């Protein structure tokens, strides 16, 4: 069992999920309250990873994050190293790739919050921040949990983006999906089977947990 690759995958999925929650909670709240025309364009842009092949997204991220790009140069200014072929680069790519899987469930939950409660809170002089923390977040807990698990599971299993951005550096950027690919390429089917079975059981357990919790909260996935 390639525990090193498993650890990197779990670390990547955990860091990415935490960042996505920080990004998507205010973004979903803004989307749910905004009715402007450019909202549609922004929603389409953020949803592109749902339809784009991972290699396409990975290629463009590689182009715009490489050491010769403005972003790459800016990163090198404050960090001794490159953004591509590094764990930090994997995190950036994973945030882009898994963003819609976290954003959409939270946005849908925010849009379904009873507007009468929001109006009542406004008449009681609740600030927008108070409304967010005391109404939107508590009523959307099941959706936020679902979004976090989907983001975690999606990051854990991604292949194309991490391969394009991180390559295959053992102990640094080699995730479980790449380790399985390598094992198959080298005809090491026993290791490929072990890793694949581990991921299959883990994914089943994670999704089962989400279904149990959402059933308890009467929240449809």
């Amino acid at each position: 069992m390639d525990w090193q690759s498993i650890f990197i995958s779990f670390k990547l999925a955990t860091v990415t999920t935490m960042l996505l929650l920080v990004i998507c909670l205010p973004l979903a709240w803004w989307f749910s309250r905004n009715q402007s025309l450019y909202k549609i364009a922004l929603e389409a842009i953020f949803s592109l990873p749902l339809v784009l092949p991972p290699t396409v997204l990975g290629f463009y991220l590689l182009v715009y994050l490489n050491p010769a790009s403005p972003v790459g140069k800016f990163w090198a200014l404050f960090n001794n190293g490159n953004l591509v072929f590094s764990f930090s680069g994997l995190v950036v790519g994973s945030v882009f790739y898994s963003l819609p899987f976290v954003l959409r469930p939270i946005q849908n939950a925010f849009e379904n919050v009873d507007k009468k409660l929001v109006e009542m809170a406004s008449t009681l002089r609740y600030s927008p921040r108070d409304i967010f923390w005391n109404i939107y977040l508590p009523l959307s807990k099941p959706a936020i949990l679902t979004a976090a698990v989907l983001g975690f599971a999606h990051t854990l299993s991604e292949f194309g983006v991490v391969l394009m951005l991180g390559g295959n550096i053992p102990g640094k950027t080699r995730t479980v999906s790449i380790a399985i690919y390598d094992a198959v390429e080298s005809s090491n089917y026993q290791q490929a089977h072990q890793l694949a079975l581990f991921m299959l059981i883990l994914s089943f357990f994670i999704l089962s947990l989400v279904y149990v919790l959402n059933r308890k909260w009467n929240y449809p996935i």
Side-chain angles (χ1 to χ4, degrees):
M1 187 68 76
D2 190 350
W3 293 109
Q4 196 174 53
S5 297
I6 292 173
F7 172 75
I8 292 173
S9 293
F10 268 84
K11 181 182 175 183
L12 176 63
T14 302
V15 173
T16 300
T17 303
M18 292 173 64
L19 287 174
L20 282 172
L21 287 175
V22 172
I23 295 169
C24 290
L25 282 171
L27 191 59
W29 189 56
W30 183 83
F31 273 140
S32 67
R33 293 163 58 90
N34 196 293
Q35 300 299 326
S36 58
L37 291 176
Y38 58 84
K39 171 191 171 184
I40 298 174
L42 287 175
E43 285 183 319
I45 291 171
F46 286 126
S47 299
L48 276 176
L50 292 173
V51 294
L52 272 181
T55 48
V56 173
L57 181 62
F59 170 73
Y60 281 111
L61 286 173
L62 187 63
V63 169
Y64 289 105
L65 299 180
N66 74 81
S69 69
V71 177
K73 291 177 180 177
F74 181 79
W75 176 266
L77 214 65
F78 299 96
N79 297 274
N80 187 22
N82 297 326
L83 194 53
V84 297
F85 303 117
S86 69
F87 181 80
S88 299
L90 292 186
V91 171
V92 173
S94 299
V95 166
F96 275 99
Y97 188 50
S98 297
L99 190 142
F101 292 88
V102 178
L103 177 62
R104 293 304 303 173
I106 299 176
Q107 182 183 342
N108 289 338
F110 284 176
E111 289 175 348
N112 289 325
V113 168
D114 191 347
K115 298 301 182 289
K116 291 181 181 178
L117 291 175
V118 179
E119 292 171 2
M120 190 181 300
S122 298
T123 59
L124 294 173
R125 297 183 179 179
Y126 274 52
S127 67
R129 185 178 63 179
D130 291 333
I131 292 173
F132 176 76
W133 285 103
N134 296 308
I135 296 178
Y136 279 89
L137 281 188
L139 293 177
S140 304
K141 276 196 297 186
I144 294 171
L145 171 66
T146 301
V149 173
L150 286 175
F152 184 90
H154 190 252
T155 303
L156 200 63
S157 61
E158 67 182 89
F159 175 74
V161 173
V162 295
L163 183 62
M164 295 288 285
L165 267 181
N168 183 8
I169 307 174
K172 190 175 180 182
T173 63
R174 187 183 188 186
T175 60
V176 174
S177 55
I178 296 175
I180 294 173
Y181 177 78
D182 276 352
V184 173
E185 283 287 292
S186 59
S187 299
N188 188 352
Y189 296 113
Q190 182 179 357
Q191 186 184 42
H193 175 69
Q194 288 176 344
L195 289 170
L197 184 62
F198 175 82
M199 293 299 295
L200 178 64
I201 295 172
L202 177 65
S203 300
F204 176 79
F205 173 77
I206 291 174
L207 290 176
S208 298
L209 180 62
V210 173
Y211 276 103
V212 168
L213 291 175
N214 283 322
R215 187 182 181 88
K216 179 181 178 182
W217 287 331
N218 295 319
Y219 179 79
I221 295 182

